Each structure stands twice: as structure tokens, then as C-alpha cells.
Amino acid sequence: MANRYWVASFAGTWNDTFNWSTTSGGFGGASVPGASDDVIFDTNGAGKCTVDANIDVLSITYTSYAGTFEASTYNINVAGSVSASGSTTIFDLGSSSWTVGGAWNLRFISASSTEGTSTLRMTSTTLVGWLWKVSGGNFYSITLAPNAQVYQARNLYITGSFVLESGATWVAGGYSPAIKNNASLTLGANSSITTTTGRLELHPEGTGVHTGNATASIGNFTTKNQNVGTLTTIPIATYTGTFDLGQNAASFGTTWRFEGNTVIEGDVSTSMGKATNETIDTATNNVSLTLKGDVDITPSQGTITWSAGNGTIIFDNSGSQSVNFNGQTVEAIVVSDASTGAITLGDNFTTPYVHDCDSLIDLNGFTITETGTDPSPCSSNVYFSPAAFARLG
């Protein structure tokens, strides 16, 4: 293991031995950094560094380096961390491809740094941080390798792709990873995005693709539409936190299309910043939804239409549950035998049938209209509150 210091006073290239020294501010002529070397950029080498070859090093540290690091089109493999302190480095990532085994901690680089169309693959299976500029910002592509663990410590707006491979965990905490218009989201088996006050923010896919997995999990979740595109595909996963269908753009109505069977453990709500016409689409993929929290899709303005398919809506609550489908026609309702709390309605709705063997459904003065017959009715008597029983007919 050895140190290699960038000592170029003027613009130079990575693959030139003249620009490298074994000491800070020392004479150039040391070998170009290799796989057993830690690379340091500091005040004793202010010249721009242009990468002109693939890189394979132990670590890269920027310490009060005021130059520009131009990654260009090359592959950069760092076994450990990439970090900056006291630095005003301008990063130009170009279309480079990075693989990093430790943290990506570039909080202190210049705000004028650009992500280009670069890719970052993080591989650490112990928790490491992702930081990009003081206030975060756009980043093109991030992939977490199998079982990688990364915590987000700055704002993140993905403009290209965000991929969690099998078993990978992205710890958002109080931040909100935003998958922007035309960007892709891919959730591998047993991957997860965990949140506290933050939430995964999903924008219309456009030219991107949103793909989930039945074993993936997501914490708090919301959708947004920024005047581009009309379809947001909600990937298959178990959503463990709050689940908000949001619209904040005036020019477009949105279709929120569920990719496949989905479990939502938190409360389902809508937040309509503009008076647009929105559609919840469970019909295209004949999705079944398992809902464990309260449900209220009443829009504060505009309209929301539920496009129902041939799946089912399963209520599976461990406590009381309030449900408001805003007068819509939805899938057949199945109340899980494991449900233990009362289900109270907040509006009328229409459904092919209600299958409920052991729970109390209280319509609370509203009406359920059944258009068909339960294909597997309960052998035991079903108890409804008097108001509900009279209206089910």
C-alpha cells in the first residue's frame, strides 16, 4: 500500500507519471496510482485532472483541492471510499462508470459539479453513506449491488436509473429519494428502501421503467407529477409506511397504475395540489391489493376515478380500519379471517361482492352496492352492524 499525491500545478492527465508524487507537494515522477494505492488531491496540486485511462485504486480523497476532476468516459474502480473535506473541487463526472466499495462522501465539492450520464455502483455490505454536494441534487444513475447497504445523507433526484439489486438496502432516513420524470426504478428480490420522515418520491415514468418485486419493501411513499408524462407505474412491493397518491401539476391528469399485486401496510391518502382528473388503475394488470391501514382517496380538488379489474381488495387489519373509496366502483372485497378490528366506511362504494366471515363491517350510514354474488360464501353467519346489514340486502 502506498500514497499517490496529485502534484500538477496546471492541467494534466491522470495517466502521466509527471503529475504524481509519493509526498504532498513533492517531485513528480512517481508511478501512476494502482490497485494498492490511496490517492490524495490537496492544495499542493491545484491543476485540473483529466482522466484518460481506466482507474483501479484503494481510495480517493480530496482535501482542500480547488481544481477540477474530469472523469470523462472511463471506468473508475475504488475499493474503499471516495471522500472530500475542506474542498471546492469541481467534479465533472461525464459518462464515467464508478464502482465504489466504501462511502461516496462528496458533500464538500463545488455546487457547480455535474453528474452527466455517469453511473455509480456501490458494493459495501456494511452501512456506508451517499453524499453529493452540500445540498445534494441531481444524480444520473445509482446501483446498489447485492446486499449492499447505503444511507442517504443529502437530497437525491435520480434522472437516469435507481437500481437495488437482491438484498440491497437504501436507508433514506429523513431524506426523500426522488425518481424523476423519465427515470427508471428497479427493485430486486428482498431489497428495501427504509424511511423515517423521508419518503420515496415517484414521478411519471415517460421513457423510464418502474419494476418491483413481491419480496421488496418500501417505507413512506408518494407520487408527484411535474407537468411531464401521464403514467406513473407503482412497482410491486410491500409498502410499510404512509402511501400518498399526489398530484401537483396543473397541465396533466395522471394514471397511477399498479404493476402487480401490492401490500400497503400504512394509511392510503391523496394530496391534490391541482384540480386535475386522476385515475387509479388496477385493471390493466388485474391487481389485488392488500390494505392494512386506513384508506381515503377523496380528492381535496379535482377528481379521482378508480379503474377496477378482476383482482380483489383484501382488508387485513390488526386494529380498527376506516375506508373511503370516494363513491367508486372497486374490486371484490375480501376481509381476511385474521382481521381483528372493526371496519368503518366513510362513503358509499360499489363492488362485485363482499366476502367477510368473521369481522364487523359498519357502513356508518353509507351503502355498499354488490353487483354479483360471492363465489365462496361463508358457512357461518356474518355479523354486520344493523345499518350495514339493512343496506347490503
Side-chain angles (χ1 to χ4, degrees):
M1 179 186 296
N3 290 340
R4 287 293 180 268
Y5 291 84
W6 176 259
V7 292
S9 300
F10 302 98
T13 56
W14 176 282
N15 211 33
D16 186 345
T17 59
F18 181 77
N19 297 321
W20 296 103
S21 176
T22 58
T23 60
S24 176
F27 291 105
S31 59
V32 173
S36 60
D37 296 326
D38 293 302
V39 177
I40 300 101
F41 290 79
D42 62 18
T43 55
N44 290 318
K48 175 182 178 180
C49 175
T50 299
V51 176
D52 60 340
N54 293 334
I55 295 172
D56 189 0
V57 295
L58 279 181
S59 67
I60 304 179
T61 303
Y62 303 87
T63 305
S64 299
Y65 170 64
T68 297
F69 185 88
E70 186 178 83
S72 191
T73 62
Y74 292 93
N75 298 327
I76 302 174
N77 182 64
V78 183
S81 295
V82 178
S83 60
S85 62
S87 178
T88 56
T89 309
I90 297 174
F91 253 75
D92 179 359
L93 293 178
S95 58
S96 58
S97 297
W98 294 69
T99 300
V100 176
W104 177 270
N105 185 356
L106 296 179
R107 172 185 175 186
F108 294 104
I109 62 172
S110 171
S112 62
S113 297
T114 54
E115 77 283 1
T117 57
S118 61
T119 61
L120 169 63
R121 181 177 176 85
M122 301 185 71
T123 65
S124 176
T125 56
T126 58
L127 192 63
V128 295
W130 177 91
L131 300 91
W132 173 247
K133 299 189 276 194
V134 172
S135 58
N138 288 347
F139 207 86
Y140 188 73
S141 176
I142 297 176
T143 295
L144 269 61
N147 301 312
Q149 299 182 52
V150 178
Y151 68 85
Q152 178 183 343
R154 282 296 178 269
N155 295 325
L156 171 59
Y157 309 102
I158 290 289
T159 60
S161 64
F162 191 51
V163 179
L164 275 63
E165 295 183 354
S166 60
T169 300
W170 183 268
V171 181
Y175 290 96
S176 297
I179 313 303
K180 300 290 280 186
N181 302 319
N182 301 315
S184 293
L185 171 66
T186 304
L187 302 173
N190 299 305
S191 63
S192 63
I193 298 174
T194 67
T195 60
T196 52
T197 58
R199 55 189 184 176
L200 174 66
E201 185 178 296
L202 200 57
H203 294 239
E205 58 191 299
T207 57
V209 177
H210 302 160
T211 303
N213 189 282
T215 61
S217 66
I218 295 175
N220 300 327
F221 172 82
T222 190
T223 62
K224 285 192 175 182
N225 182 15
Q226 300 293 347
N227 289 317
V228 177
T230 58
L231 174 64
T232 301
T233 298
I234 299 170
I236 299 170
T238 293
Y239 293 81
T240 61
T242 57
F243 189 95
D244 175 63
L245 296 173
Q247 162 65 299
N248 63 331
S251 299
F252 289 89
T254 297
T255 295
W256 298 304
R257 178 175 296 162
F258 284 86
E259 180 194 16
N261 296 344
T262 300
V263 178
I264 304 175
E265 296 181 349
D267 294 341
V268 177
S269 61
T270 62
S271 55
M272 302 286 287
K274 301 294 182 179
T276 54
N277 302 318
E278 311 303 320
T279 300
I280 297 172
D281 178 11
T282 52
T284 298
N285 297 315
N286 284 317
V287 171
S288 290
L289 300 179
T290 299
L291 305 176
K292 298 191 176 188
D294 295 338
V295 179
D296 187 354
I297 64 165
T298 306
S300 57
Q301 55 183 322
T303 64
I304 292 179
T305 301
W306 191 293
S307 178
N310 296 324
T312 57
I313 294 176
I314 303 168
F315 292 130
D316 184 14
N317 59 308
S318 58
S320 60
Q321 191 173 18
S322 62
V323 175
N324 184 342
F325 286 124
N326 187 38
Q328 296 294 303
T329 297
V330 299
E331 285 80 358
I333 301 295
V334 175
V335 182
S336 167
D337 291 344
S339 292
T340 57
I343 299 171
T344 304
L345 297 192
D347 202 350
N348 308 319
F349 70 87
T350 300
T351 179
Y353 61 86
V354 176
H355 178 86
D356 178 23
C357 295
D358 299 304
S359 297
L360 165 65
I361 296 180
D362 184 351
L363 274 123
N364 193 31
F366 296 103
T367 301
I368 294 177
T369 300
E370 293 178 287
T371 60
T373 303
D374 184 354
S376 55
C378 305
S379 57
S380 60
N381 292 327
V382 182
Y383 177 78
F384 296 95
S385 69
F389 183 79
R391 294 177 182 272
L392 278 169

